[in-house]
């Protein structure tokens, strides 16, 4: 009987939901890396879709797997379906934001990981593009428990990169301060202009620059509307540029590819900076 082809040396993506349990059982437990995309549906200003983070992280994981298929065809890469959930209570005063608690994020990630680990799988990459502290606290708590309960090797590549300001260090020089681009601003609008131009509302060109220091203690516990962010974005979306979007997308793909290889080779994954770890510790589950 001809079996469904799980070729590794081509650009075919193995989608978990398309496999039967026999095919899953046959995957080499020591050589299969699972990718779990998880990001919430969340308002992204009046100009970007609520699935901005979710679409980005799914596409980045897909591209990373295509690259890895060529680079390391001796390993298998399985893309799990996108979990469209995360903590985003701070902008849930806009329609379109669906928020769950960080504790639920933890339970979901742990459930995926432990269900796979129970069948001998060892490698899991959690792909998120959403950087809210309560959300990543959920992810990192689950990762810690998966490592201690099963010895599962896990990694979340984007948090350490993002929170160490690596983007500002590596991006092409732009002539303005991109560190203030927080949400649905220049970066994300550029990214969507590159990946999904038809989903970007043309009104972005007329949006004023709006900035808030989201690390300030004064913003703690406040919603976007309470902070006067009546359109739901922080940054300068009008500057968006598809060429930058392409750079940013490819950079993100590279970060994921590197993390997957490091994870497999047993290298210690990059850590979140201390101020983020402290913030996670200080935060009660919400
Ligand atoms: Zn976003």
């Amino acid at each position: 009987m001809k079996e469904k082809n799980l070729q590794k040396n081509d650009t075919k993506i193995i989608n978990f939901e398309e496999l039967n349990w026999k095919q899953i059982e046959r995957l080499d437990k020591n050589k299969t890396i699972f990718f779990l995309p998880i990001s919430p549906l969340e308002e992204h200003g009046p100009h970007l879709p609520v699935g901005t983070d979710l679409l980005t992280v799914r596409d980045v994981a897909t591209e990373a797997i295509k690259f890895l298929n060529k680079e390391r065809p001796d390993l298998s890469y399985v893309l799990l379906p996108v979990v469209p959930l995360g903590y985003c209570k701070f902008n849930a005063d806009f329609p379109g934001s669906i928020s769950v608690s960080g504790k639920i994020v933890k339970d979901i990630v742990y459930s995926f990981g432990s269900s796979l680990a129970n069948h001998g799988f060892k490698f899991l990459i959690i792909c998120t593009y959403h950087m809210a502290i309560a959300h990543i606290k959920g992810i990192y708590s689950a990762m810690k428990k998966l490592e201690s309960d099963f010895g599962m090797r896990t990694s979340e590549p984007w948090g350490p990169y993002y929170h160490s300001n690596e983007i500002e260090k590596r991006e092409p020089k732009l002539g303005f301060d991109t560190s203030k681009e927080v949400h649905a601003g220049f970066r994300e609008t550029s990214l969507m202009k590159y990946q999904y131009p038809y989903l970007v509302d043309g009104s972005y060109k007329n949006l004023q620059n709006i900035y808030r220091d989201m690390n300030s203690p004064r913003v703690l516990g406040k919603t976007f509307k309470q902070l006067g962010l009546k359109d739901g974005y922080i940054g300068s979306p009008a500057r968006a540029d598809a060429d930058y979007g392409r750079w940013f997308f490819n950079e993100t793909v590279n970060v994921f590819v590197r993390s997957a290889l490091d994870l497999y080779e047993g290298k210690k994954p990059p850590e979140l900076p201390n101020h983020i770890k402290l913030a996670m510790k200080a935060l009660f589950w919400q």
Side-chain angles (χ1 to χ4, degrees):
M1 194 177 74
K2 200 168 182 315
E3 283 171 359
K4 194 176 173 227
N5 200 3
L6 292 183
Q7 282 282 329
K8 294 167 206 150
N9 57 354
D10 59 16
T11 53
K12 193 190 171 304
I13 300 292
I14 304 176
N15 291 304
F16 186 76
E17 67 274 25
E18 295 176 2
L19 303 177
N20 59 50
W21 72 261
K22 280 278 181 190
Q23 291 169 317
I24 295 168
E25 190 176 58
R26 273 198 299 270
L27 291 164
D28 187 336
K29 311 288 184 295
N30 296 311
K31 289 190 167 187
T32 300
I33 303 176
F34 288 87
F35 288 73
L36 175 63
I38 176 165
S39 282
L41 295 157
E42 172 194 35
E43 72 81 15
H44 271 75
H47 60 301
L48 298 181
V50 293
T52 293
D53 288 11
L54 180 157
L55 293 167
T56 300
V57 87
R58 184 196 61 191
D59 293 350
V60 164
T62 306
E63 281 305 306
I65 291 174
K66 282 185 192 165
F67 187 89
L68 286 161
N69 276 335
K70 286 190 215 135
E71 185 78 12
R72 285 296 302 263
D74 54 318
L75 307 179
S76 297
Y77 312 94
V78 178
L79 183 61
L80 291 158
V82 183
V83 178
L85 293 172
Y87 174 87
C88 58
K89 213 169 168 187
F90 45 82
N91 58 13
D93 45 4
F94 290 85
S97 292
I98 312 286
S99 183
V100 299
S101 73
K103 178 75 171 58
I104 286 178
V105 172
K106 177 186 173 182
D107 289 348
I108 292 168
V109 172
Y110 183 79
S111 299
F112 270 93
S114 58
S115 304
L116 295 168
N118 271 326
H119 292 280
F121 292 105
K122 295 187 173 61
F123 303 106
L124 177 66
I125 299 204
I126 293 110
C127 311
T128 187
Y129 192 63
H130 183 69
M131 289 289 114
I133 300 292
H135 182 72
I136 54 178
K137 178 175 177 165
I139 292 173
Y140 279 78
S141 307
M143 285 162 57
K144 206 171 158 196
K145 197 163 157 54
L146 288 168
E147 308 213 16
S148 65
D149 290 0
F150 301 97
M152 193 174 213
R153 298 240 282 275
T154 64
S155 156
E156 183 282 299
W158 192 241
Y161 183 89
Y162 176 90
H163 283 297
S164 310
N165 305 324
E166 283 294 319
I167 310 169
E168 284 100 43
K169 287 178 213 157
R170 297 175 56 94
E171 72 192 351
K173 292 293 156 265
L174 294 155
F176 65 96
D177 180 4
T178 55
S179 69
K180 295 194 285 186
E181 302 296 326
V182 177
H183 182 70
F186 165 72
R187 284 207 188 95
E188 285 189 299
T189 309
S190 298
L191 200 52
M192 291 310 271
K193 269 190 77 174
Y194 168 60
Q195 278 287 83
Y196 295 95
Y198 56 95
L199 296 181
V200 179
D201 191 283
S203 63
Y204 82 91
K205 293 190 188 107
N206 305 318
L207 295 173
Q208 304 290 315
N209 304 349
I210 293 176
Y211 303 111
R212 287 290 182 286
D213 177 8
M214 298 309 277
N215 295 318
S216 152
R218 285 188 304 134
V219 310
L220 218 66
K222 296 222 173 74
T223 67
F224 271 24
K225 281 192 183 170
Q226 286 167 343
L227 292 169
L229 299 161
K230 65 176 175 47
D231 281 324
Y233 66 91
I234 307 171
S236 54
R239 288 182 166 128
D241 168 32
D243 285 338
Y244 179 90
R246 187 194 309 116
W247 175 83
F248 193 50
F249 183 82
N250 290 332
E251 177 71 4
T252 315
V253 172
N254 289 338
V255 171
F256 277 56
V257 166
R258 251 195 334 265
S259 297
L261 294 175
D262 286 354
L263 185 73
Y264 179 71
E265 284 157 13
K267 290 190 192 140
K268 205 166 157 354
E271 285 192 42
L272 290 167
N274 279 332
H275 71 278
I276 299 295
K277 287 191 194 162
L278 285 172
M280 281 175 10
K281 240 183 220 154
L283 191 78
F284 291 107
W285 290 115
Q286 41 181 322

